[in-house]
């Protein structure tokens, strides 16, 4: 495979789609070896086919705000690859949303979903709608207007969206209500539903819990554990909340959370009622963490900065893409970080990842570390299909097994000659091989 040729042609076709090109380059660089070992992939054009989405759907979303003014947002669904199952992936509502970001997320989702071992293809969608400062009624009207277009494109055996940044249980409720009304059926067309109406237990916590289980496996490889460890995390929403809960259960101490306004340093640890408070913060649609410092004296608010300057044993970015750069990575390394695991999608820049690898610091990439979220979405689909629900313990046990399998796959494909585990390489190869083989089996479609 001529990696550079494929990248050059993609750059020409999609100029300026920085996040998408970054995600593709990272995968292609690490799978080059296995592609060269399997010449049938080249003949079948597997790489050229896997890097382009099957289709991209865009639509206009007009809705009426509380002042009676009509607002217009853009809506998207990127159906990337369905070799392993229905397109599956979240919806992101954030003003930064554009095609490059949704294509990077959809592309990552293919390999992540493959790693879960469950039958799910890859997709992603969303809108540039900004939930910040919106009333519940505005959010409901927006979700309904968004679904008025989206419902024709999705279905329980076709494409199953879920949440992502800006889309939690509340938004899924409004989206599902409108889908059900239009399609006249009660099916598992979205995951992350409420527990009383088809949702899976543990789904809200799953990304954070799964990420913590995976990080625990990484620590076990060093004959270590979370016990007594100081953990820096970013974000304060759906993902950070689950991480804070599980890390403290496993004996670690989370000392930071963050928002776009800055970060909180809480030396006493984000535990107990403070974790519940994170959910209250998220529910305000304000996207700020400063109030945490007023609520809990002893916690310090550091405006306009990221938490990676804090001395910690473990760093777990939980917010968004490229939130930890080369400079941040160097600070973490200088401060003695032992393990870094991305719970956000592509949370670290390529420069940061190179530094972790160079310094032989175990680094878990998002598509492996955060796969627990979509894995439990897959389990929600199974429960919906069976019209049955598993207990919290059953779902949690299945989640643990899946995270362990993903970790094993990373070891199998990512262990280097000196014993260092390159989790990026391991996850990409393991995720890619299944999809590529399925595409081979299914012909040129
Ligand atoms: O990035 C992700 O894996 C998600 N936002 C969850 C996707 C899902 O379908 O549960």
């Amino acid at each position: 495979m001529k990696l550079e040729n494929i990248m050059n042609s993609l750059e020409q076709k999609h100029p300026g789609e920085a996040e998408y090109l970054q995600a593709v380059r990272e995968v292609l660089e690490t799978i080059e070896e296995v592609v060269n070992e399997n010449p049938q992939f080249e003949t079948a054009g597997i790489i050229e086919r896997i890097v382009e989405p099957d289709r991209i759907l865009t639509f206009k979303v007009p809705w009426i705000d509380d002042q009676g003014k009509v607002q217009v947002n853009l809506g998207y669904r990127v159906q990337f690859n369905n070799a392993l199952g229905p397109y599956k992936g979240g919806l992101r509502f954030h003003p930064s949303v554009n095609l490059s970001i949704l294509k990077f997320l959809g592309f990552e989702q293919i390999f992540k979903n493959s790693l879960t071992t469950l039958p799910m293809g890859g997709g992603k969608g969303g809108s540039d709608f900004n939930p910040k400062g919106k009333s519940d009624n505005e959010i409901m009207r927006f979700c309904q207007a968004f679904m008025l277009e989206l419902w024709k494109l999705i279905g329980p055996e076709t494409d199953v969206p879920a949440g992502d940044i800006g889309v939690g249980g509340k938004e899924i409720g409004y989206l599902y209500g409108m889908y059900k009304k239009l399609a006249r059926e009660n099916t598992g067309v979205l995951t992350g539903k409420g527990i009383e109406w088809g949702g899976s237990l543990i789904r809200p916590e799953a990304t954070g819990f799964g990420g913590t289980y995976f990080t625990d496996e990484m620590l076990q490889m060093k004959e270590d554990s979370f016990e007594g460890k100081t953990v820096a995390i970013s974000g304060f929403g759906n993902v950070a909340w689950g991480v804070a809960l599980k890390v403290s259960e496993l004996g670690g101490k989370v000392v930071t959370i963050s928002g776009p306004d800055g970060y909180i340093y809480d030396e006493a640890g984000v535990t107990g009622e403070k974790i519940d408070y994170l959910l209250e913060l998220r529910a305000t649609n304000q996207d700020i963490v400063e109030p945490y410092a007023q609520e809990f004296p002893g916690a310090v608010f550091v405006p306009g900065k990221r938490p990676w300057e804090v001395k910690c044993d473990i760093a777990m970015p939980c917010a968004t893409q490229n939130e930890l750069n080369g400079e941040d990575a160097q600070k973490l390394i200088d401060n003695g970080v032992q393990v870094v695991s991305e719970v956000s999608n592509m949370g670290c820049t390529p420069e940061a990842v190179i530094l972790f690898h160079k310094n032989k610091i175990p680094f878990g990439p998002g598509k492996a570390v955060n796969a627990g979220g979509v894995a439990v979405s897959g389990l929600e689909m199974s429960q919906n299909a069976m019209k049955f629900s598993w207990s919290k313990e059953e779902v949690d046990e299945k989640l643990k097994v899946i995270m362990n399998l993903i970790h094993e796959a990373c070891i199998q494909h990512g262990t280097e000659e000196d014993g260092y585990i390159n989790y990026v390489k391991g996850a990409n190869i393991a995720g890619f091989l299944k999809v590529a083989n399925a595409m081979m089996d299914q012909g040129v479609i």
Side-chain angles (χ1 to χ4, degrees), residues 77-78 86-92 105-106 109-110 112-113 120-126 150 154 159-164 172 189-191 203 374 377 381:
R77 188 72 183 161
V78 179
Y87 303 107
K88 178 85 195 89
L91 298 170
R92 177 177 290 193
L105 289 165
Q109 202 82 43
I110 306 171
K112 182 197 307 192
N113 294 3
M120 299 182 287
K124 204 84 188 188
L150 186 69
I154 61 175
D159 184 348
V160 184
D164 192 80
I172 294 291
V189 70
L190 291 157
T191 58
R203 178 63 191 91
V374 73
S377 277
M381 289 165 73

PDB file of all heavy atoms in Angstrom, residues 77-78 86-92 105-106 109-110 112-113 120-126 150 154 159-164 172 189-191 203 374 377 381:
ATOM      1  N   ARG A  77     -26.044  13.212   9.056  1.00  0.00           N
ATOM      2  CA  ARG A  77     -25.790  11.817   9.448  1.00  0.00           C
ATOM      3  C   ARG A  77     -24.778  11.259   8.456  1.00  0.00           C
ATOM      4  O   ARG A  77     -25.000  11.314   7.234  1.00  0.00           O
ATOM      5  CB  ARG A  77     -27.085  10.981   9.428  1.00  0.00           C
ATOM      6  CG  ARG A  77     -26.915   9.573  10.001  1.00  0.00           C
ATOM      7  CD  ARG A  77     -26.739   9.555  11.504  1.00  0.00           C
ATOM      8  NE  ARG A  77     -26.498   8.207  12.019  1.00  0.00           N
ATOM      9  CZ  ARG A  77     -25.964   7.946  13.214  1.00  0.00           C
ATOM     10  NH1 ARG A  77     -25.631   8.916  14.036  1.00  0.00           N
ATOM     11  NH2 ARG A  77     -25.779   6.702  13.608  1.00  0.00           N
ATOM     12  N   VAL A  78     -23.664  10.776   8.992  1.00  0.00           N
ATOM     13  CA  VAL A  78     -22.632  10.171   8.153  1.00  0.00           C
ATOM     14  C   VAL A  78     -22.720   8.660   8.344  1.00  0.00           C
ATOM     15  O   VAL A  78     -22.435   8.145   9.423  1.00  0.00           O
ATOM     16  CB  VAL A  78     -21.217  10.670   8.568  1.00  0.00           C
ATOM     17  CG1 VAL A  78     -20.144  10.010   7.715  1.00  0.00           C
ATOM     18  CG2 VAL A  78     -21.133  12.188   8.461  1.00  0.00           C
ATOM     19  N   PRO A  86     -25.660  -2.828  11.368  1.00  0.00           N
ATOM     20  CA  PRO A  86     -26.255  -1.517  11.083  1.00  0.00           C
ATOM     21  C   PRO A  86     -25.290  -0.387  11.458  1.00  0.00           C
ATOM     22  O   PRO A  86     -24.508  -0.535  12.404  1.00  0.00           O
ATOM     23  CB  PRO A  86     -27.480  -1.470  12.005  1.00  0.00           C
ATOM     24  CG  PRO A  86     -27.714  -2.862  12.471  1.00  0.00           C
ATOM     25  CD  PRO A  86     -26.449  -3.629  12.311  1.00  0.00           C
ATOM     26  N   TYR A  87     -25.352   0.731  10.733  1.00  0.00           N
ATOM     27  CA  TYR A  87     -24.554   1.900  11.119  1.00  0.00           C
ATOM     28  C   TYR A  87     -24.882   2.201  12.575  1.00  0.00           C
ATOM     29  O   TYR A  87     -26.050   2.154  12.970  1.00  0.00           O
ATOM     30  CB  TYR A  87     -24.909   3.104  10.251  1.00  0.00           C
ATOM     31  CG  TYR A  87     -24.725   2.841   8.771  1.00  0.00           C
ATOM     32  CD1 TYR A  87     -25.825   2.675   7.934  1.00  0.00           C
ATOM     33  CD2 TYR A  87     -23.446   2.745   8.217  1.00  0.00           C
ATOM     34  CE1 TYR A  87     -25.662   2.416   6.581  1.00  0.00           C
ATOM     35  CE2 TYR A  87     -23.275   2.492   6.860  1.00  0.00           C
ATOM     36  CZ  TYR A  87     -24.391   2.320   6.049  1.00  0.00           C
ATOM     37  OH  TYR A  87     -24.230   2.068   4.720  1.00  0.00           O
ATOM     38  N   LYS A  88     -23.864   2.519  13.351  1.00  0.00           N
ATOM     39  CA  LYS A  88     -24.100   2.770  14.780  1.00  0.00           C
ATOM     40  C   LYS A  88     -23.130   3.825  15.260  1.00  0.00           C
ATOM     41  O   LYS A  88     -21.920   3.731  15.016  1.00  0.00           O
ATOM     42  CB  LYS A  88     -23.868   1.465  15.566  1.00  0.00           C
ATOM     43  CG  LYS A  88     -24.045   1.617  17.064  1.00  0.00           C
ATOM     44  CD  LYS A  88     -25.489   1.461  17.464  1.00  0.00           C
ATOM     45  CE  LYS A  88     -25.782   1.949  18.878  1.00  0.00           C
ATOM     46  NZ  LYS A  88     -26.135   3.399  18.936  1.00  0.00           N
ATOM     47  N   GLY A  89     -23.635   4.822  15.936  1.00  0.00           N
ATOM     48  CA  GLY A  89     -22.784   5.873  16.491  1.00  0.00           C
ATOM     49  C   GLY A  89     -23.625   7.047  16.927  1.00  0.00           C
ATOM     50  O   GLY A  89     -24.782   7.180  16.529  1.00  0.00           O
ATOM     51  N   GLY A  90     -23.029   7.886  17.737  1.00  0.00           N
ATOM     52  CA  GLY A  90     -23.768   8.938  18.408  1.00  0.00           C
ATOM     53  C   GLY A  90     -24.101  10.148  17.560  1.00  0.00           C
ATOM     54  O   GLY A  90     -23.697  10.277  16.396  1.00  0.00           O
ATOM     55  N   LEU A  91     -24.859  11.046  18.183  1.00  0.00           N
ATOM     56  CA  LEU A  91     -25.185  12.359  17.619  1.00  0.00           C
ATOM     57  C   LEU A  91     -24.512  13.396  18.503  1.00  0.00           C
ATOM     58  O   LEU A  91     -24.621  13.332  19.728  1.00  0.00           O
ATOM     59  CB  LEU A  91     -26.698  12.596  17.639  1.00  0.00           C
ATOM     60  CG  LEU A  91     -27.568  11.639  16.822  1.00  0.00           C
ATOM     61  CD1 LEU A  91     -29.052  11.865  17.155  1.00  0.00           C
ATOM     62  CD2 LEU A  91     -27.327  11.819  15.325  1.00  0.00           C
ATOM     63  N   ARG A  92     -23.825  14.341  17.883  1.00  0.00           N
ATOM     64  CA  ARG A  92     -23.171  15.414  18.642  1.00  0.00           C
ATOM     65  C   ARG A  92     -23.859  16.734  18.340  1.00  0.00           C
ATOM     66  O   ARG A  92     -23.988  17.107  17.177  1.00  0.00           O
ATOM     67  CB  ARG A  92     -21.677  15.476  18.283  1.00  0.00           C
ATOM     68  CG  ARG A  92     -20.949  16.606  18.983  1.00  0.00           C
ATOM     69  CD  ARG A  92     -19.457  16.611  18.688  1.00  0.00           C
ATOM     70  NE  ARG A  92     -18.775  15.486  19.314  1.00  0.00           N
ATOM     71  CZ  ARG A  92     -17.442  15.385  19.423  1.00  0.00           C
ATOM     72  NH1 ARG A  92     -16.659  16.349  18.931  1.00  0.00           N
ATOM     73  NH2 ARG A  92     -16.889  14.341  19.996  1.00  0.00           N
ATOM     74  N   LEU A 105     -15.256  11.226  13.465  1.00  0.00           N
ATOM     75  CA  LEU A 105     -15.919  10.418  14.495  1.00  0.00           C
ATOM     76  C   LEU A 105     -16.522   9.149  13.889  1.00  0.00           C
ATOM     77  O   LEU A 105     -16.437   8.068  14.476  1.00  0.00           O
ATOM     78  CB  LEU A 105     -16.999  11.250  15.195  1.00  0.00           C
ATOM     79  CG  LEU A 105     -16.469  12.364  16.119  1.00  0.00           C
ATOM     80  CD1 LEU A 105     -17.581  13.359  16.463  1.00  0.00           C
ATOM     81  CD2 LEU A 105     -15.882  11.778  17.404  1.00  0.00           C
ATOM     82  N   GLY A 106     -17.108   9.272  12.705  1.00  0.00           N
ATOM     83  CA  GLY A 106     -17.708   8.105  12.043  1.00  0.00           C
ATOM     84  C   GLY A 106     -16.651   7.087  11.655  1.00  0.00           C
ATOM     85  O   GLY A 106     -16.851   5.875  11.789  1.00  0.00           O
ATOM     86  N   GLN A 109     -15.453   5.302  14.654  1.00  0.00           N
ATOM     87  CA  GLN A 109     -16.519   4.430  15.165  1.00  0.00           C
ATOM     88  C   GLN A 109     -16.495   3.053  14.490  1.00  0.00           C
ATOM     89  O   GLN A 109     -16.833   2.055  15.109  1.00  0.00           O
ATOM     90  CB  GLN A 109     -17.868   5.127  14.940  1.00  0.00           C
ATOM     91  CG  GLN A 109     -18.983   4.636  15.835  1.00  0.00           C
ATOM     92  CD  GLN A 109     -18.972   5.253  17.224  1.00  0.00           C
ATOM     93  OE1 GLN A 109     -18.775   6.442  17.373  1.00  0.00           O
ATOM     94  NE2 GLN A 109     -19.181   4.443  18.247  1.00  0.00           N
ATOM     95  N   ILE A 110     -16.071   2.992  13.220  1.00  0.00           N
ATOM     96  CA  ILE A 110     -16.036   1.694  12.512  1.00  0.00           C
ATOM     97  C   ILE A 110     -15.147   0.719  13.281  1.00  0.00           C
ATOM     98  O   ILE A 110     -15.520  -0.429  13.544  1.00  0.00           O
ATOM     99  CB  ILE A 110     -15.403   1.825  11.103  1.00  0.00           C
ATOM    100  CG1 ILE A 110     -16.086   2.896  10.266  1.00  0.00           C
ATOM    101  CG2 ILE A 110     -15.402   0.488  10.362  1.00  0.00           C
ATOM    102  CD1 ILE A 110     -15.317   3.191   8.953  1.00  0.00           C
ATOM    103  N   LYS A 112     -13.828   1.089  16.395  1.00  0.00           N
ATOM    104  CA  LYS A 112     -14.245   0.951  17.789  1.00  0.00           C
ATOM    105  C   LYS A 112     -15.343  -0.100  17.901  1.00  0.00           C
ATOM    106  O   LYS A 112     -15.291  -1.008  18.724  1.00  0.00           O
ATOM    107  CB  LYS A 112     -14.764   2.311  18.282  1.00  0.00           C
ATOM    108  CG  LYS A 112     -15.191   2.330  19.719  1.00  0.00           C
ATOM    109  CD  LYS A 112     -16.055   3.544  20.051  1.00  0.00           C
ATOM    110  CE  LYS A 112     -15.411   4.857  19.662  1.00  0.00           C
ATOM    111  NZ  LYS A 112     -16.123   6.020  20.256  1.00  0.00           N
ATOM    112  N   ASN A 113     -16.345   0.017  17.026  1.00  0.00           N
ATOM    113  CA  ASN A 113     -17.468  -0.909  17.087  1.00  0.00           C
ATOM    114  C   ASN A 113     -17.016  -2.322  16.756  1.00  0.00           C
ATOM    115  O   ASN A 113     -17.492  -3.296  17.344  1.00  0.00           O
ATOM    116  CB  ASN A 113     -18.592  -0.448  16.157  1.00  0.00           C
ATOM    117  CG  ASN A 113     -19.205   0.874  16.624  1.00  0.00           C
ATOM    118  OD1 ASN A 113     -18.742   1.461  17.603  1.00  0.00           O
ATOM    119  ND2 ASN A 113     -20.225   1.337  15.936  1.00  0.00           N
ATOM    120  N   MET A 120     -21.980  -4.297  14.878  1.00  0.00           N
ATOM    121  CA  MET A 120     -22.358  -2.900  14.625  1.00  0.00           C
ATOM    122  C   MET A 120     -21.401  -2.287  13.610  1.00  0.00           C
ATOM    123  O   MET A 120     -20.179  -2.434  13.729  1.00  0.00           O
ATOM    124  CB  MET A 120     -22.264  -2.077  15.912  1.00  0.00           C
ATOM    125  CG  MET A 120     -23.187  -2.548  17.030  1.00  0.00           C
ATOM    126  SD  MET A 120     -23.079  -1.519  18.514  1.00  0.00           S
ATOM    127  CE  MET A 120     -21.492  -2.000  19.182  1.00  0.00           C
ATOM    128  N   GLY A 121     -21.948  -1.589  12.622  1.00  0.00           N
ATOM    129  CA  GLY A 121     -21.147  -0.814  11.689  1.00  0.00           C
ATOM    130  C   GLY A 121     -20.850   0.554  12.296  1.00  0.00           C
ATOM    131  O   GLY A 121     -21.139   0.797  13.468  1.00  0.00           O
ATOM    132  N   GLY A 122     -20.282   1.465  11.494  1.00  0.00           N
ATOM    133  CA  GLY A 122     -19.889   2.763  12.036  1.00  0.00           C
ATOM    134  C   GLY A 122     -20.641   3.918  11.397  1.00  0.00           C
ATOM    135  O   GLY A 122     -20.830   3.955  10.176  1.00  0.00           O
ATOM    136  N   GLY A 123     -21.058   4.865  12.221  1.00  0.00           N
ATOM    137  CA  GLY A 123     -21.710   6.073  11.719  1.00  0.00           C
ATOM    138  C   GLY A 123     -21.641   7.160  12.764  1.00  0.00           C
ATOM    139  O   GLY A 123     -21.220   6.919  13.905  1.00  0.00           O
ATOM    140  N   LYS A 124     -22.018   8.345  12.400  1.00  0.00           N
ATOM    141  CA  LYS A 124     -22.037   9.459  13.354  1.00  0.00           C
ATOM    142  C   LYS A 124     -22.928  10.546  12.797  1.00  0.00           C
ATOM    143  O   LYS A 124     -23.156  10.619  11.582  1.00  0.00           O
ATOM    144  CB  LYS A 124     -20.625  10.018  13.537  1.00  0.00           C
ATOM    145  CG  LYS A 124     -20.426  10.742  14.851  1.00  0.00           C
ATOM    146  CD  LYS A 124     -20.098   9.763  15.968  1.00  0.00           C
ATOM    147  CE  LYS A 124     -20.083  10.421  17.317  1.00  0.00           C
ATOM    148  NZ  LYS A 124     -19.570   9.482  18.351  1.00  0.00           N
ATOM    149  N   GLY A 125     -23.429  11.407  13.656  1.00  0.00           N
ATOM    150  CA  GLY A 125     -24.253  12.489  13.150  1.00  0.00           C
ATOM    151  C   GLY A 125     -24.312  13.619  14.141  1.00  0.00           C
ATOM    152  O   GLY A 125     -23.598  13.613  15.145  1.00  0.00           O
ATOM    153  N   GLY A 126     -25.153  14.596  13.848  1.00  0.00           N
ATOM    154  CA  GLY A 126     -25.273  15.690  14.785  1.00  0.00           C
ATOM    155  C   GLY A 126     -25.681  16.977  14.140  1.00  0.00           C
ATOM    156  O   GLY A 126     -26.212  17.004  13.022  1.00  0.00           O
ATOM    157  N   LEU A 150     -34.391  13.285  10.235  1.00  0.00           N
ATOM    158  CA  LEU A 150     -33.534  12.109  10.444  1.00  0.00           C
ATOM    159  C   LEU A 150     -34.299  10.788  10.374  1.00  0.00           C
ATOM    160  O   LEU A 150     -33.752   9.768   9.953  1.00  0.00           O
ATOM    161  CB  LEU A 150     -32.811  12.218  11.808  1.00  0.00           C
ATOM    162  CG  LEU A 150     -31.768  11.138  12.093  1.00  0.00           C
ATOM    163  CD1 LEU A 150     -30.552  11.307  11.180  1.00  0.00           C
ATOM    164  CD2 LEU A 150     -31.308  11.150  13.553  1.00  0.00           C
ATOM    165  N   ILE A 154     -32.994   6.446   9.301  1.00  0.00           N
ATOM    166  CA  ILE A 154     -32.539   5.497  10.321  1.00  0.00           C
ATOM    167  C   ILE A 154     -33.567   4.398  10.553  1.00  0.00           C
ATOM    168  O   ILE A 154     -34.676   4.463  10.030  1.00  0.00           O
ATOM    169  CB  ILE A 154     -32.237   6.227  11.653  1.00  0.00           C
ATOM    170  CG1 ILE A 154     -33.507   6.915  12.192  1.00  0.00           C
ATOM    171  CG2 ILE A 154     -31.114   7.253  11.461  1.00  0.00           C
ATOM    172  CD1 ILE A 154     -33.319   7.561  13.565  1.00  0.00           C
ATOM    173  N   ASP A 159     -29.720   1.892  10.905  1.00  0.00           N
ATOM    174  CA  ASP A 159     -28.824   2.900  11.472  1.00  0.00           C
ATOM    175  C   ASP A 159     -29.387   3.275  12.837  1.00  0.00           C
ATOM    176  O   ASP A 159     -30.554   3.681  12.943  1.00  0.00           O
ATOM    177  CB  ASP A 159     -28.792   4.126  10.535  1.00  0.00           C
ATOM    178  CG  ASP A 159     -27.802   5.189  10.999  1.00  0.00           C
ATOM    179  OD1 ASP A 159     -27.307   5.096  12.129  1.00  0.00           O
ATOM    180  OD2 ASP A 159     -27.564   6.135  10.221  1.00  0.00           O
ATOM    181  N   VAL A 160     -28.574   3.117  13.867  1.00  0.00           N
ATOM    182  CA  VAL A 160     -29.044   3.303  15.244  1.00  0.00           C
ATOM    183  C   VAL A 160     -28.219   4.388  15.950  1.00  0.00           C
ATOM    184  O   VAL A 160     -27.143   4.108  16.478  1.00  0.00           O
ATOM    185  CB  VAL A 160     -28.972   1.965  16.032  1.00  0.00           C
ATOM    186  CG1 VAL A 160     -29.550   2.128  17.438  1.00  0.00           C
ATOM    187  CG2 VAL A 160     -29.699   0.851  15.283  1.00  0.00           C
ATOM    188  N   PRO A 161     -28.687   5.634  15.954  1.00  0.00           N
ATOM    189  CA  PRO A 161     -27.947   6.709  16.636  1.00  0.00           C
ATOM    190  C   PRO A 161     -28.021   6.600  18.160  1.00  0.00           C
ATOM    191  O   PRO A 161     -28.806   5.818  18.711  1.00  0.00           O
ATOM    192  CB  PRO A 161     -28.638   7.986  16.154  1.00  0.00           C
ATOM    193  CG  PRO A 161     -29.499   7.589  14.998  1.00  0.00           C
ATOM    194  CD  PRO A 161     -29.859   6.160  15.243  1.00  0.00           C
ATOM    195  N   ALA A 162     -27.207   7.410  18.826  1.00  0.00           N
ATOM    196  CA  ALA A 162     -27.178   7.475  20.292  1.00  0.00           C
ATOM    197  C   ALA A 162     -26.724   8.881  20.656  1.00  0.00           C
ATOM    198  O   ALA A 162     -26.783   9.787  19.825  1.00  0.00           O
ATOM    199  CB  ALA A 162     -26.211   6.425  20.830  1.00  0.00           C
ATOM    200  N   GLY A 163     -26.244   9.059  21.885  1.00  0.00           N
ATOM    201  CA  GLY A 163     -25.761  10.371  22.311  1.00  0.00           C
ATOM    202  C   GLY A 163     -24.275  10.549  22.043  1.00  0.00           C
ATOM    203  O   GLY A 163     -23.564   9.609  21.695  1.00  0.00           O
ATOM    204  N   ASP A 164     -23.836  11.777  22.160  1.00  0.00           N
ATOM    205  CA  ASP A 164     -22.422  12.150  22.171  1.00  0.00           C
ATOM    206  C   ASP A 164     -22.410  13.507  22.898  1.00  0.00           C
ATOM    207  O   ASP A 164     -23.344  13.792  23.655  1.00  0.00           O
ATOM    208  CB  ASP A 164     -21.861  12.232  20.727  1.00  0.00           C
ATOM    209  CG  ASP A 164     -20.337  12.318  20.689  1.00  0.00           C
ATOM    210  OD1 ASP A 164     -19.684  11.276  20.824  1.00  0.00           O
ATOM    211  OD2 ASP A 164     -19.788  13.428  20.538  1.00  0.00           O
ATOM    212  N   ILE A 172     -32.152  12.306  24.005  1.00  0.00           N
ATOM    213  CA  ILE A 172     -32.566  11.023  23.412  1.00  0.00           C
ATOM    214  C   ILE A 172     -34.067  10.824  23.620  1.00  0.00           C
ATOM    215  O   ILE A 172     -34.774  10.341  22.731  1.00  0.00           O
ATOM    216  CB  ILE A 172     -31.755   9.835  24.008  1.00  0.00           C
ATOM    217  CG1 ILE A 172     -30.277   9.929  23.605  1.00  0.00           C
ATOM    218  CG2 ILE A 172     -32.346   8.483  23.605  1.00  0.00           C
ATOM    219  CD1 ILE A 172     -29.969   9.693  22.140  1.00  0.00           C
ATOM    220  N   VAL A 189     -34.567   2.075  18.000  1.00  0.00           N
ATOM    221  CA  VAL A 189     -33.922   2.849  16.940  1.00  0.00           C
ATOM    222  C   VAL A 189     -32.867   3.814  17.463  1.00  0.00           C
ATOM    223  O   VAL A 189     -32.023   4.280  16.708  1.00  0.00           O
ATOM    224  CB  VAL A 189     -34.972   3.592  16.102  1.00  0.00           C
ATOM    225  CG1 VAL A 189     -35.584   4.721  16.925  1.00  0.00           C
ATOM    226  CG2 VAL A 189     -34.404   4.111  14.809  1.00  0.00           C
ATOM    227  N   LEU A 190     -32.928   4.098  18.768  1.00  0.00           N
ATOM    228  CA  LEU A 190     -31.890   4.933  19.387  1.00  0.00           C
ATOM    229  C   LEU A 190     -31.429   4.187  20.630  1.00  0.00           C
ATOM    230  O   LEU A 190     -32.219   3.457  21.238  1.00  0.00           O
ATOM    231  CB  LEU A 190     -32.470   6.278  19.839  1.00  0.00           C
ATOM    232  CG  LEU A 190     -32.899   7.274  18.767  1.00  0.00           C
ATOM    233  CD1 LEU A 190     -33.918   8.237  19.334  1.00  0.00           C
ATOM    234  CD2 LEU A 190     -31.701   8.044  18.222  1.00  0.00           C
ATOM    235  N   THR A 191     -30.180   4.380  21.022  1.00  0.00           N
ATOM    236  CA  THR A 191     -29.760   3.815  22.311  1.00  0.00           C
ATOM    237  C   THR A 191     -29.443   4.958  23.267  1.00  0.00           C
ATOM    238  O   THR A 191     -29.233   6.090  22.851  1.00  0.00           O
ATOM    239  CB  THR A 191     -28.563   2.860  22.165  1.00  0.00           C
ATOM    240  OG1 THR A 191     -27.479   3.578  21.564  1.00  0.00           O
ATOM    241  CG2 THR A 191     -28.912   1.640  21.341  1.00  0.00           C
ATOM    242  N   ARG A 203     -26.047   2.059  30.859  1.00  0.00           N
ATOM    243  CA  ARG A 203     -25.656   2.814  29.660  1.00  0.00           C
ATOM    244  C   ARG A 203     -25.116   4.208  30.002  1.00  0.00           C
ATOM    245  O   ARG A 203     -24.090   4.618  29.459  1.00  0.00           O
ATOM    246  CB  ARG A 203     -26.795   2.886  28.623  1.00  0.00           C
ATOM    247  CG  ARG A 203     -26.439   3.717  27.351  1.00  0.00           C
ATOM    248  CD  ARG A 203     -25.297   3.088  26.574  1.00  0.00           C
ATOM    249  NE  ARG A 203     -24.719   3.917  25.504  1.00  0.00           N
ATOM    250  CZ  ARG A 203     -23.702   4.763  25.638  1.00  0.00           C
ATOM    251  NH1 ARG A 203     -23.151   4.972  26.832  1.00  0.00           N
ATOM    252  NH2 ARG A 203     -23.224   5.417  24.599  1.00  0.00           N
ATOM    253  N   VAL A 374     -20.399   2.465  23.463  1.00  0.00           N
ATOM    254  CA  VAL A 374     -21.124   1.873  22.342  1.00  0.00           C
ATOM    255  C   VAL A 374     -21.342   0.369  22.569  1.00  0.00           C
ATOM    256  O   VAL A 374     -22.327  -0.196  22.086  1.00  0.00           O
ATOM    257  CB  VAL A 374     -20.425   2.179  20.997  1.00  0.00           C
ATOM    258  CG1 VAL A 374     -19.158   1.375  20.814  1.00  0.00           C
ATOM    259  CG2 VAL A 374     -21.379   1.952  19.833  1.00  0.00           C
ATOM    260  N   SER A 377     -24.429   0.188  24.306  1.00  0.00           N
ATOM    261  CA  SER A 377     -25.472   0.488  23.310  1.00  0.00           C
ATOM    262  C   SER A 377     -25.818  -0.784  22.541  1.00  0.00           C
ATOM    263  O   SER A 377     -26.989  -1.068  22.279  1.00  0.00           O
ATOM    264  CB  SER A 377     -24.983   1.541  22.313  1.00  0.00           C
ATOM    265  OG  SER A 377     -25.146   2.841  22.820  1.00  0.00           O
ATOM    266  N   MET A 381     -29.364  -2.785  22.243  1.00  0.00           N
ATOM    267  CA  MET A 381     -30.022  -3.283  21.024  1.00  0.00           C
ATOM    268  C   MET A 381     -30.423  -4.747  21.199  1.00  0.00           C
ATOM    269  O   MET A 381     -31.514  -5.161  20.791  1.00  0.00           O
ATOM    270  CB  MET A 381     -29.085  -3.137  19.818  1.00  0.00           C
ATOM    271  CG  MET A 381     -28.873  -1.692  19.389  1.00  0.00           C
ATOM    272  SD  MET A 381     -27.455  -1.480  18.276  1.00  0.00           S
ATOM    273  CE  MET A 381     -28.074  -2.170  16.752  1.00  0.00           C
TER     274      MET A 381
END
